Amino acid sequence: MTQIDLTDRTALVTGSTQGIGLAIAVDLARAGASAIVNGRGADGVQRAIDAVREAVPGAQVDGVAADLSTAEGAAAVLDAHPHVDVLVNNLGIFGSRDPFEITDDEWRHYFEVNVLSAVRLIRSYLPAMTEHGYGRVVSIASDSAVVTPAEMIHYGMTKTALLAVTRGFAKAVKGTGVTVNTVIAGPTHTAGVEDFVAEMVGTDLPWDEAQRTFMREHRPQSLVERLLEPEEVAHMVTYLASPLASATTGGALRADGGYVDAILP
Ligand code: NAD
């Protein structure tokens, strides 16, 4: 059967009160999954639950407020939801910094938020997934994992690390029916990126022209010559979360608009 059907599957999406994470939660819910959204604050989590329900009437959706950059936050999520069938490590922070000025604490902070948050959940959820004979782990990496910008080395480092974490854990669960993959997302239309586009090309142009100008002038590697919409990244995640993707594991799949100039990622 070629229809994606995640009925009776529970899917946790970290950092999903907005942006790509929220789009992933909506997409998974649309495929029938019972979605669990996450953010640091209860209000944001409730707004995300409402947004999923509005987008997908009748959706099964729950939420958990927890700061996943900490061990306590991970423990709170595991307490609330001891088993999930699909884990999407979407949480990630990014910013531009002069590489010579990034402090030790900033390096550590990026690692804690973008890598360790995912590692803690992967190693906690994987054993039960293997017992059930089904499980999907998808972590959201970035073009910066393989095309490291000089002003985002700290961010790029975390995304490259996720590729290695993914490859290693995929081997650790080989032969169990559980798959572990990353999605390499390209420049995507989110609130933070909207501000960045305004900074780079000004606010005079209508949005569509502004984002296309930004991509042409500042991200000329893109083959689609536009920002991606969060849903376009979400569709790749939903496919990987589904039984249809049973032959894909240990991989880095690109939803990047052709941004990374490589035949294989
Ligand atoms: P965003 O900043 O719009 O959203 C981040 C989400 O994480 C929010 O819901 C926020 O509440 C939550 N969050 C932040 N810190 C948290 C913490 N400590 N604990 C729990 N939740 C926390 O992000 P986005 O642009 O949608 O990016 C999502 C993912 O996609 C990230 O991993 C990012 O690196 C990756 N990515 C984004 C782009 C892009 O262009 N936007 C491109 C490639 C990859």
PDB file of all heavy atoms in Angstrom, residues 74-112:
ATOM      1  N   ALA A  74      14.642  16.474  29.504  1.00  0.00           N
ATOM      2  CA  ALA A  74      14.486  15.188  28.816  1.00  0.00           C
ATOM      3  C   ALA A  74      13.743  14.207  29.717  1.00  0.00           C
ATOM      4  O   ALA A  74      12.841  13.475  29.268  1.00  0.00           O
ATOM      5  CB  ALA A  74      15.854  14.627  28.439  1.00  0.00           C
ATOM      6  N   ALA A  75      14.100  14.209  31.030  1.00  0.00           N
ATOM      7  CA  ALA A  75      13.447  13.293  31.974  1.00  0.00           C
ATOM      8  C   ALA A  75      11.954  13.601  32.068  1.00  0.00           C
ATOM      9  O   ALA A  75      11.124  12.671  32.138  1.00  0.00           O
ATOM     10  CB  ALA A  75      14.108  13.396  33.352  1.00  0.00           C
ATOM     11  N   ALA A  76      11.590  14.882  32.040  1.00  0.00           N
ATOM     12  CA  ALA A  76      10.177  15.258  32.121  1.00  0.00           C
ATOM     13  C   ALA A  76       9.410  14.745  30.903  1.00  0.00           C
ATOM     14  O   ALA A  76       8.282  14.246  31.022  1.00  0.00           O
ATOM     15  CB  ALA A  76      10.049  16.785  32.232  1.00  0.00           C
ATOM     16  N   VAL A  77      10.032  14.834  29.736  1.00  0.00           N
ATOM     17  CA  VAL A  77       9.373  14.358  28.518  1.00  0.00           C
ATOM     18  C   VAL A  77       9.212  12.837  28.573  1.00  0.00           C
ATOM     19  O   VAL A  77       8.153  12.291  28.246  1.00  0.00           O
ATOM     20  CB  VAL A  77      10.178  14.784  27.265  1.00  0.00           C
ATOM     21  CG1 VAL A  77       9.677  14.069  26.021  1.00  0.00           C
ATOM     22  CG2 VAL A  77      10.082  16.299  27.076  1.00  0.00           C
ATOM     23  N   LEU A  78      10.256  12.161  29.042  1.00  0.00           N
ATOM     24  CA  LEU A  78      10.208  10.693  29.119  1.00  0.00           C
ATOM     25  C   LEU A  78       9.183  10.224  30.146  1.00  0.00           C
ATOM     26  O   LEU A  78       8.510   9.206  29.947  1.00  0.00           O
ATOM     27  CB  LEU A  78      11.592  10.146  29.457  1.00  0.00           C
ATOM     28  CG  LEU A  78      12.568  10.232  28.274  1.00  0.00           C
ATOM     29  CD1 LEU A  78      14.009  10.258  28.751  1.00  0.00           C
ATOM     30  CD2 LEU A  78      12.334   9.066  27.311  1.00  0.00           C
ATOM     31  N   ASP A  79       9.057  10.974  31.228  1.00  0.00           N
ATOM     32  CA  ASP A  79       8.042  10.657  32.242  1.00  0.00           C
ATOM     33  C   ASP A  79       6.652  10.764  31.660  1.00  0.00           C
ATOM     34  O   ASP A  79       5.801   9.898  31.879  1.00  0.00           O
ATOM     35  CB  ASP A  79       8.138  11.698  33.375  1.00  0.00           C
ATOM     36  CG  ASP A  79       8.883  11.139  34.559  1.00  0.00           C
ATOM     37  OD1 ASP A  79       9.479  10.061  34.409  1.00  0.00           O
ATOM     38  OD2 ASP A  79       8.872  11.811  35.621  1.00  0.00           O
ATOM     39  N   ALA A  80       6.430  11.856  30.951  1.00  0.00           N
ATOM     40  CA  ALA A  80       5.091  12.113  30.397  1.00  0.00           C
ATOM     41  C   ALA A  80       4.773  11.146  29.261  1.00  0.00           C
ATOM     42  O   ALA A  80       3.619  10.761  29.073  1.00  0.00           O
ATOM     43  CB  ALA A  80       5.001  13.560  29.912  1.00  0.00           C
ATOM     44  N   HIS A  81       5.796  10.774  28.500  1.00  0.00           N
ATOM     45  CA  HIS A  81       5.573   9.911  27.320  1.00  0.00           C
ATOM     46  C   HIS A  81       6.676   8.864  27.256  1.00  0.00           C
ATOM     47  O   HIS A  81       7.646   9.012  26.514  1.00  0.00           O
ATOM     48  CB  HIS A  81       5.542  10.754  26.043  1.00  0.00           C
ATOM     49  CG  HIS A  81       4.452  11.773  26.055  1.00  0.00           C
ATOM     50  ND1 HIS A  81       3.136  11.461  25.792  1.00  0.00           N
ATOM     51  CD2 HIS A  81       4.474  13.091  26.354  1.00  0.00           C
ATOM     52  CE1 HIS A  81       2.399  12.544  25.918  1.00  0.00           C
ATOM     53  NE2 HIS A  81       3.178  13.553  26.263  1.00  0.00           N
ATOM     54  N   PRO A  82       6.542   7.782  28.027  1.00  0.00           N
ATOM     55  CA  PRO A  82       7.614   6.791  28.109  1.00  0.00           C
ATOM     56  C   PRO A  82       7.855   6.031  26.800  1.00  0.00           C
ATOM     57  O   PRO A  82       8.929   5.502  26.597  1.00  0.00           O
ATOM     58  CB  PRO A  82       7.132   5.819  29.191  1.00  0.00           C
ATOM     59  CG  PRO A  82       5.942   6.433  29.817  1.00  0.00           C
ATOM     60  CD  PRO A  82       5.410   7.491  28.916  1.00  0.00           C
ATOM     61  N   HIS A  83       6.849   5.966  25.933  1.00  0.00           N
ATOM     62  CA  HIS A  83       7.070   5.284  24.645  1.00  0.00           C
ATOM     63  C   HIS A  83       6.525   6.127  23.492  1.00  0.00           C
ATOM     64  O   HIS A  83       5.420   6.653  23.580  1.00  0.00           O
ATOM     65  CB  HIS A  83       6.369   3.920  24.624  1.00  0.00           C
ATOM     66  CG  HIS A  83       6.486   3.255  23.281  1.00  0.00           C
ATOM     67  ND1 HIS A  83       7.670   2.725  22.822  1.00  0.00           N
ATOM     68  CD2 HIS A  83       5.593   3.090  22.269  1.00  0.00           C
ATOM     69  CE1 HIS A  83       7.495   2.238  21.606  1.00  0.00           C
ATOM     70  NE2 HIS A  83       6.245   2.447  21.244  1.00  0.00           N
ATOM     71  N   VAL A  84       7.322   6.271  22.462  1.00  0.00           N
ATOM     72  CA  VAL A  84       6.816   6.865  21.212  1.00  0.00           C
ATOM     73  C   VAL A  84       7.264   5.959  20.063  1.00  0.00           C
ATOM     74  O   VAL A  84       8.272   5.256  20.170  1.00  0.00           O
ATOM     75  CB  VAL A  84       7.325   8.317  20.987  1.00  0.00           C
ATOM     76  CG1 VAL A  84       6.853   9.244  22.098  1.00  0.00           C
ATOM     77  CG2 VAL A  84       8.848   8.375  20.846  1.00  0.00           C
ATOM     78  N   ASP A  85       6.498   5.986  18.991  1.00  0.00           N
ATOM     79  CA  ASP A  85       6.881   5.201  17.807  1.00  0.00           C
ATOM     80  C   ASP A  85       7.780   6.014  16.890  1.00  0.00           C
ATOM     81  O   ASP A  85       8.574   5.451  16.140  1.00  0.00           O
ATOM     82  CB  ASP A  85       5.625   4.787  17.025  1.00  0.00           C
ATOM     83  CG  ASP A  85       4.666   3.989  17.888  1.00  0.00           C
ATOM     84  OD1 ASP A  85       5.038   2.881  18.315  1.00  0.00           O
ATOM     85  OD2 ASP A  85       3.554   4.493  18.176  1.00  0.00           O
ATOM     86  N   VAL A  86       7.574   7.327  16.938  1.00  0.00           N
ATOM     87  CA  VAL A  86       8.326   8.228  16.057  1.00  0.00           C
ATOM     88  C   VAL A  86       8.898   9.349  16.907  1.00  0.00           C
ATOM     89  O   VAL A  86       8.167  10.021  17.641  1.00  0.00           O
ATOM     90  CB  VAL A  86       7.388   8.832  14.978  1.00  0.00           C
ATOM     91  CG1 VAL A  86       8.153   9.821  14.099  1.00  0.00           C
ATOM     92  CG2 VAL A  86       6.725   7.738  14.144  1.00  0.00           C
ATOM     93  N   LEU A  87      10.211   9.524  16.820  1.00  0.00           N
ATOM     94  CA  LEU A  87      10.869  10.630  17.521  1.00  0.00           C
ATOM     95  C   LEU A  87      11.460  11.564  16.476  1.00  0.00           C
ATOM     96  O   LEU A  87      12.307  11.142  15.680  1.00  0.00           O
ATOM     97  CB  LEU A  87      11.993  10.085  18.423  1.00  0.00           C
ATOM     98  CG  LEU A  87      12.983  11.138  18.955  1.00  0.00           C
ATOM     99  CD1 LEU A  87      12.292  12.127  19.891  1.00  0.00           C
ATOM    100  CD2 LEU A  87      14.163  10.459  19.663  1.00  0.00           C
ATOM    101  N   VAL A  88      11.016  12.813  16.492  1.00  0.00           N
ATOM    102  CA  VAL A  88      11.588  13.793  15.561  1.00  0.00           C
ATOM    103  C   VAL A  88      12.369  14.816  16.376  1.00  0.00           C
ATOM    104  O   VAL A  88      11.789  15.621  17.113  1.00  0.00           O
ATOM    105  CB  VAL A  88      10.496  14.496  14.727  1.00  0.00           C
ATOM    106  CG1 VAL A  88      11.149  15.471  13.735  1.00  0.00           C
ATOM    107  CG2 VAL A  88       9.631  13.482  13.984  1.00  0.00           C
ATOM    108  N   ASN A  89      13.687  14.760  16.249  1.00  0.00           N
ATOM    109  CA  ASN A  89      14.545  15.735  16.924  1.00  0.00           C
ATOM    110  C   ASN A  89      14.654  16.965  16.026  1.00  0.00           C
ATOM    111  O   ASN A  89      15.527  17.049  15.167  1.00  0.00           O
ATOM    112  CB  ASN A  89      15.930  15.138  17.159  1.00  0.00           C
ATOM    113  CG  ASN A  89      15.881  14.006  18.156  1.00  0.00           C
ATOM    114  OD1 ASN A  89      15.433  14.183  19.284  1.00  0.00           O
ATOM    115  ND2 ASN A  89      16.316  12.829  17.735  1.00  0.00           N
ATOM    116  N   ASN A  90      13.718  17.870  16.258  1.00  0.00           N
ATOM    117  CA  ASN A  90      13.679  19.077  15.427  1.00  0.00           C
ATOM    118  C   ASN A  90      14.326  20.265  16.127  1.00  0.00           C
ATOM    119  O   ASN A  90      14.822  21.182  15.474  1.00  0.00           O
ATOM    120  CB  ASN A  90      12.213  19.405  15.101  1.00  0.00           C
ATOM    121  CG  ASN A  90      12.069  20.801  14.521  1.00  0.00           C
ATOM    122  OD1 ASN A  90      12.373  21.038  13.369  1.00  0.00           O
ATOM    123  ND2 ASN A  90      11.630  21.761  15.341  1.00  0.00           N
ATOM    124  N   LEU A  91      14.315  20.222  17.464  1.00  0.00           N
ATOM    125  CA  LEU A  91      14.822  21.369  18.216  1.00  0.00           C
ATOM    126  C   LEU A  91      16.207  21.784  17.727  1.00  0.00           C
ATOM    127  O   LEU A  91      17.107  20.952  17.590  1.00  0.00           O
ATOM    128  CB  LEU A  91      14.912  20.975  19.703  1.00  0.00           C
ATOM    129  CG  LEU A  91      15.704  21.928  20.604  1.00  0.00           C
ATOM    130  CD1 LEU A  91      15.114  23.312  20.597  1.00  0.00           C
ATOM    131  CD2 LEU A  91      15.772  21.367  22.008  1.00  0.00           C
ATOM    132  N   GLY A  92      16.349  23.069  17.480  1.00  0.00           N
ATOM    133  CA  GLY A  92      17.668  23.566  17.081  1.00  0.00           C
ATOM    134  C   GLY A  92      17.689  25.079  17.126  1.00  0.00           C
ATOM    135  O   GLY A  92      16.699  25.727  16.770  1.00  0.00           O
ATOM    136  N   ILE A  93      18.792  25.618  17.604  1.00  0.00           N
ATOM    137  CA  ILE A  93      18.949  27.072  17.609  1.00  0.00           C
ATOM    138  C   ILE A  93      20.034  27.432  16.591  1.00  0.00           C
ATOM    139  O   ILE A  93      20.905  26.617  16.293  1.00  0.00           O
ATOM    140  CB  ILE A  93      19.336  27.611  19.008  1.00  0.00           C
ATOM    141  CG1 ILE A  93      20.565  26.858  19.581  1.00  0.00           C
ATOM    142  CG2 ILE A  93      18.163  27.504  19.963  1.00  0.00           C
ATOM    143  CD1 ILE A  93      21.133  27.509  20.830  1.00  0.00           C
ATOM    144  N   PHE A  94      19.934  28.622  16.044  1.00  0.00           N
ATOM    145  CA  PHE A  94      20.973  29.048  15.106  1.00  0.00           C
ATOM    146  C   PHE A  94      21.154  30.559  15.167  1.00  0.00           C
ATOM    147  O   PHE A  94      20.261  31.281  15.593  1.00  0.00           O
ATOM    148  CB  PHE A  94      20.656  28.600  13.671  1.00  0.00           C
ATOM    149  CG  PHE A  94      19.255  28.882  13.198  1.00  0.00           C
ATOM    150  CD1 PHE A  94      18.988  30.004  12.427  1.00  0.00           C
ATOM    151  CD2 PHE A  94      18.220  28.022  13.507  1.00  0.00           C
ATOM    152  CE1 PHE A  94      17.691  30.248  11.970  1.00  0.00           C
ATOM    153  CE2 PHE A  94      16.928  28.255  13.062  1.00  0.00           C
ATOM    154  CZ  PHE A  94      16.656  29.377  12.299  1.00  0.00           C
ATOM    155  N   GLY A  95      22.328  31.003  14.754  1.00  0.00           N
ATOM    156  CA  GLY A  95      22.624  32.431  14.730  1.00  0.00           C
ATOM    157  C   GLY A  95      23.970  32.646  14.067  1.00  0.00           C
ATOM    158  O   GLY A  95      24.743  31.696  13.918  1.00  0.00           O
ATOM    159  N   SER A  96      24.216  33.883  13.651  1.00  0.00           N
ATOM    160  CA  SER A  96      25.496  34.210  13.010  1.00  0.00           C
ATOM    161  C   SER A  96      26.445  34.786  14.045  1.00  0.00           C
ATOM    162  O   SER A  96      26.037  35.600  14.880  1.00  0.00           O
ATOM    163  CB  SER A  96      25.298  35.272  11.931  1.00  0.00           C
ATOM    164  OG  SER A  96      24.390  34.832  10.997  1.00  0.00           O
ATOM    165  N   ARG A  97      27.699  34.359  13.976  1.00  0.00           N
ATOM    166  CA  ARG A  97      28.701  34.865  14.920  1.00  0.00           C
ATOM    167  C   ARG A  97      30.051  34.887  14.244  1.00  0.00           C
ATOM    168  O   ARG A  97      30.386  33.981  13.472  1.00  0.00           O
ATOM    169  CB  ARG A  97      28.805  33.953  16.151  1.00  0.00           C
ATOM    170  CG  ARG A  97      27.665  34.037  17.098  1.00  0.00           C
ATOM    171  CD  ARG A  97      27.721  35.251  17.999  1.00  0.00           C
ATOM    172  NE  ARG A  97      28.565  35.032  19.169  1.00  0.00           N
ATOM    173  CZ  ARG A  97      29.441  35.910  19.645  1.00  0.00           C
ATOM    174  NH1 ARG A  97      29.648  37.055  19.045  1.00  0.00           N
ATOM    175  NH2 ARG A  97      30.144  35.634  20.732  1.00  0.00           N
ATOM    176  N   ASP A  98      30.843  35.917  14.559  1.00  0.00           N
ATOM    177  CA  ASP A  98      32.227  35.935  14.121  1.00  0.00           C
ATOM    178  C   ASP A  98      32.916  34.708  14.734  1.00  0.00           C
ATOM    179  O   ASP A  98      32.923  34.550  15.956  1.00  0.00           O
ATOM    180  CB  ASP A  98      32.874  37.231  14.633  1.00  0.00           C
ATOM    181  CG  ASP A  98      34.342  37.328  14.247  1.00  0.00           C
ATOM    182  OD1 ASP A  98      34.993  36.267  14.111  1.00  0.00           O
ATOM    183  OD2 ASP A  98      34.829  38.457  14.111  1.00  0.00           O
ATOM    184  N   PRO A  99      33.479  33.832  13.894  1.00  0.00           N
ATOM    185  CA  PRO A  99      34.016  32.578  14.437  1.00  0.00           C
ATOM    186  C   PRO A  99      35.121  32.781  15.459  1.00  0.00           C
ATOM    187  O   PRO A  99      35.352  31.916  16.307  1.00  0.00           O
ATOM    188  CB  PRO A  99      34.549  31.845  13.200  1.00  0.00           C
ATOM    189  CG  PRO A  99      34.654  32.869  12.128  1.00  0.00           C
ATOM    190  CD  PRO A  99      33.637  33.924  12.433  1.00  0.00           C
ATOM    191  N   PHE A 100      35.784  33.930  15.412  1.00  0.00           N
ATOM    192  CA  PHE A 100      36.874  34.167  16.356  1.00  0.00           C
ATOM    193  C   PHE A 100      36.357  34.656  17.707  1.00  0.00           C
ATOM    194  O   PHE A 100      37.114  34.804  18.657  1.00  0.00           O
ATOM    195  CB  PHE A 100      37.875  35.165  15.768  1.00  0.00           C
ATOM    196  CG  PHE A 100      38.565  34.598  14.546  1.00  0.00           C
ATOM    197  CD1 PHE A 100      38.133  34.949  13.269  1.00  0.00           C
ATOM    198  CD2 PHE A 100      39.606  33.694  14.678  1.00  0.00           C
ATOM    199  CE1 PHE A 100      38.738  34.402  12.146  1.00  0.00           C
ATOM    200  CE2 PHE A 100      40.218  33.148  13.559  1.00  0.00           C
ATOM    201  CZ  PHE A 100      39.784  33.500  12.286  1.00  0.00           C
ATOM    202  N   GLU A 101      35.051  34.926  17.761  1.00  0.00           N
ATOM    203  CA  GLU A 101      34.503  35.474  19.011  1.00  0.00           C
ATOM    204  C   GLU A 101      33.566  34.528  19.735  1.00  0.00           C
ATOM    205  O   GLU A 101      33.002  34.876  20.762  1.00  0.00           O
ATOM    206  CB  GLU A 101      33.801  36.798  18.712  1.00  0.00           C
ATOM    207  CG  GLU A 101      34.827  37.851  18.374  1.00  0.00           C
ATOM    208  CD  GLU A 101      34.229  39.201  18.053  1.00  0.00           C
ATOM    209  OE1 GLU A 101      32.993  39.348  18.131  1.00  0.00           O
ATOM    210  OE2 GLU A 101      35.025  40.093  17.724  1.00  0.00           O
ATOM    211  N   ILE A 102      33.374  33.331  19.186  1.00  0.00           N
ATOM    212  CA  ILE A 102      32.482  32.372  19.857  1.00  0.00           C
ATOM    213  C   ILE A 102      33.208  31.841  21.091  1.00  0.00           C
ATOM    214  O   ILE A 102      34.310  31.293  20.991  1.00  0.00           O
ATOM    215  CB  ILE A 102      32.119  31.199  18.916  1.00  0.00           C
ATOM    216  CG1 ILE A 102      31.497  31.735  17.616  1.00  0.00           C
ATOM    217  CG2 ILE A 102      31.159  30.234  19.605  1.00  0.00           C
ATOM    218  CD1 ILE A 102      31.362  30.686  16.519  1.00  0.00           C
ATOM    219  N   THR A 103      32.587  32.012  22.238  1.00  0.00           N
ATOM    220  CA  THR A 103      33.246  31.611  23.493  1.00  0.00           C
ATOM    221  C   THR A 103      33.071  30.111  23.743  1.00  0.00           C
ATOM    222  O   THR A 103      32.217  29.462  23.136  1.00  0.00           O
ATOM    223  CB  THR A 103      32.620  32.361  24.688  1.00  0.00           C
ATOM    224  OG1 THR A 103      31.243  31.959  24.781  1.00  0.00           O
ATOM    225  CG2 THR A 103      32.693  33.872  24.495  1.00  0.00           C
ATOM    226  N   ASP A 104      33.847  29.582  24.680  1.00  0.00           N
ATOM    227  CA  ASP A 104      33.709  28.162  25.053  1.00  0.00           C
ATOM    228  C   ASP A 104      32.274  27.864  25.492  1.00  0.00           C
ATOM    229  O   ASP A 104      31.712  26.824  25.152  1.00  0.00           O
ATOM    230  CB  ASP A 104      34.653  27.812  26.212  1.00  0.00           C
ATOM    231  CG  ASP A 104      36.109  27.794  25.767  1.00  0.00           C
ATOM    232  OD1 ASP A 104      36.384  28.104  24.591  1.00  0.00           O
ATOM    233  OD2 ASP A 104      36.976  27.475  26.611  1.00  0.00           O
ATOM    234  N   ASP A 105      31.712  28.793  26.266  1.00  0.00           N
ATOM    235  CA  ASP A 105      30.348  28.563  26.750  1.00  0.00           C
ATOM    236  C   ASP A 105      29.350  28.506  25.602  1.00  0.00           C
ATOM    237  O   ASP A 105      28.410  27.704  25.634  1.00  0.00           O
ATOM    238  CB  ASP A 105      29.926  29.674  27.729  1.00  0.00           C
ATOM    239  CG  ASP A 105      30.519  29.440  29.104  1.00  0.00           C
ATOM    240  OD1 ASP A 105      31.021  28.309  29.344  1.00  0.00           O
ATOM    241  OD2 ASP A 105      30.501  30.377  29.929  1.00  0.00           O
ATOM    242  N   GLU A 106      29.540  29.332  24.580  1.00  0.00           N
ATOM    243  CA  GLU A 106      28.625  29.297  23.435  1.00  0.00           C
ATOM    244  C   GLU A 106      28.767  27.980  22.658  1.00  0.00           C
ATOM    245  O   GLU A 106      27.775  27.392  22.229  1.00  0.00           O
ATOM    246  CB  GLU A 106      28.878  30.484  22.504  1.00  0.00           C
ATOM    247  CG  GLU A 106      28.310  31.783  23.051  1.00  0.00           C
ATOM    248  CD  GLU A 106      28.764  32.984  22.234  1.00  0.00           C
ATOM    249  OE1 GLU A 106      29.991  33.248  22.198  1.00  0.00           O
ATOM    250  OE2 GLU A 106      27.903  33.649  21.633  1.00  0.00           O
ATOM    251  N   TRP A 107      30.007  27.535  22.487  1.00  0.00           N
ATOM    252  CA  TRP A 107      30.209  26.236  21.825  1.00  0.00           C
ATOM    253  C   TRP A 107      29.457  25.146  22.583  1.00  0.00           C
ATOM    254  O   TRP A 107      28.759  24.322  21.996  1.00  0.00           O
ATOM    255  CB  TRP A 107      31.704  25.867  21.784  1.00  0.00           C
ATOM    256  CG  TRP A 107      32.479  26.538  20.688  1.00  0.00           C
ATOM    257  CD1 TRP A 107      33.336  27.582  20.813  1.00  0.00           C
ATOM    258  CD2 TRP A 107      32.490  26.187  19.288  1.00  0.00           C
ATOM    259  NE1 TRP A 107      33.877  27.914  19.593  1.00  0.00           N
ATOM    260  CE2 TRP A 107      33.380  27.068  18.645  1.00  0.00           C
ATOM    261  CE3 TRP A 107      31.838  25.215  18.532  1.00  0.00           C
ATOM    262  CZ2 TRP A 107      33.629  27.009  17.274  1.00  0.00           C
ATOM    263  CZ3 TRP A 107      32.080  25.151  17.168  1.00  0.00           C
ATOM    264  CH2 TRP A 107      32.972  26.041  16.556  1.00  0.00           C
ATOM    265  N   ARG A 108      29.628  25.173  23.927  1.00  0.00           N
ATOM    266  CA  ARG A 108      28.972  24.141  24.747  1.00  0.00           C
ATOM    267  C   ARG A 108      27.453  24.256  24.643  1.00  0.00           C
ATOM    268  O   ARG A 108      26.757  23.256  24.535  1.00  0.00           O
ATOM    269  CB  ARG A 108      29.365  24.285  26.220  1.00  0.00           C
ATOM    270  CG  ARG A 108      30.696  23.674  26.526  1.00  0.00           C
ATOM    271  CD  ARG A 108      30.961  23.606  28.022  1.00  0.00           C
ATOM    272  NE  ARG A 108      32.385  23.619  28.219  1.00  0.00           N
ATOM    273  CZ  ARG A 108      33.122  24.659  28.528  1.00  0.00           C
ATOM    274  NH1 ARG A 108      32.556  25.835  28.759  1.00  0.00           N
ATOM    275  NH2 ARG A 108      34.426  24.571  28.639  1.00  0.00           N
ATOM    276  N   HIS A 109      26.955  25.498  24.680  1.00  0.00           N
ATOM    277  CA  HIS A 109      25.508  25.712  24.639  1.00  0.00           C
ATOM    278  C   HIS A 109      24.922  25.163  23.332  1.00  0.00           C
ATOM    279  O   HIS A 109      23.905  24.465  23.348  1.00  0.00           O
ATOM    280  CB  HIS A 109      25.205  27.200  24.787  1.00  0.00           C
ATOM    281  CG  HIS A 109      23.741  27.513  24.829  1.00  0.00           C
ATOM    282  ND1 HIS A 109      22.900  26.999  25.801  1.00  0.00           N
ATOM    283  CD2 HIS A 109      22.945  28.234  24.001  1.00  0.00           C
ATOM    284  CE1 HIS A 109      21.661  27.418  25.578  1.00  0.00           C
ATOM    285  NE2 HIS A 109      21.661  28.158  24.480  1.00  0.00           N
ATOM    286  N   TYR A 110      25.562  25.457  22.217  1.00  0.00           N
ATOM    287  CA  TYR A 110      25.063  24.941  20.929  1.00  0.00           C
ATOM    288  C   TYR A 110      25.060  23.414  20.931  1.00  0.00           C
ATOM    289  O   TYR A 110      24.132  22.777  20.434  1.00  0.00           O
ATOM    290  CB  TYR A 110      25.898  25.501  19.757  1.00  0.00           C
ATOM    291  CG  TYR A 110      25.241  26.718  19.159  1.00  0.00           C
ATOM    292  CD1 TYR A 110      25.322  27.955  19.797  1.00  0.00           C
ATOM    293  CD2 TYR A 110      24.485  26.629  17.995  1.00  0.00           C
ATOM    294  CE1 TYR A 110      24.680  29.068  19.278  1.00  0.00           C
ATOM    295  CE2 TYR A 110      23.839  27.740  17.467  1.00  0.00           C
ATOM    296  CZ  TYR A 110      23.943  28.948  18.102  1.00  0.00           C
ATOM    297  OH  TYR A 110      23.297  30.043  17.595  1.00  0.00           O
ATOM    298  N   PHE A 111      26.119  22.834  21.503  1.00  0.00           N
ATOM    299  CA  PHE A 111      26.192  21.373  21.541  1.00  0.00           C
ATOM    300  C   PHE A 111      25.063  20.794  22.402  1.00  0.00           C
ATOM    301  O   PHE A 111      24.395  19.835  22.020  1.00  0.00           O
ATOM    302  CB  PHE A 111      27.569  20.917  22.054  1.00  0.00           C
ATOM    303  CG  PHE A 111      27.724  19.428  22.039  1.00  0.00           C
ATOM    304  CD1 PHE A 111      28.016  18.756  20.861  1.00  0.00           C
ATOM    305  CD2 PHE A 111      27.546  18.676  23.192  1.00  0.00           C
ATOM    306  CE1 PHE A 111      28.133  17.365  20.826  1.00  0.00           C
ATOM    307  CE2 PHE A 111      27.665  17.294  23.172  1.00  0.00           C
ATOM    308  CZ  PHE A 111      27.959  16.643  21.985  1.00  0.00           C
ATOM    309  N   GLU A 112      24.849  21.418  23.571  1.00  0.00           N
ATOM    310  CA  GLU A 112      23.803  20.928  24.494  1.00  0.00           C
ATOM    311  C   GLU A 112      22.418  20.997  23.855  1.00  0.00           C
ATOM    312  O   GLU A 112      21.641  20.053  23.946  1.00  0.00           O
ATOM    313  CB  GLU A 112      23.766  21.794  25.764  1.00  0.00           C
ATOM    314  CG  GLU A 112      25.044  21.803  26.559  1.00  0.00           C
ATOM    315  CD  GLU A 112      24.923  20.975  27.825  1.00  0.00           C
ATOM    316  OE1 GLU A 112      23.809  20.596  28.165  1.00  0.00           O
ATOM    317  OE2 GLU A 112      25.975  20.721  28.441  1.00  0.00           O
TER     318      GLU A 112
END
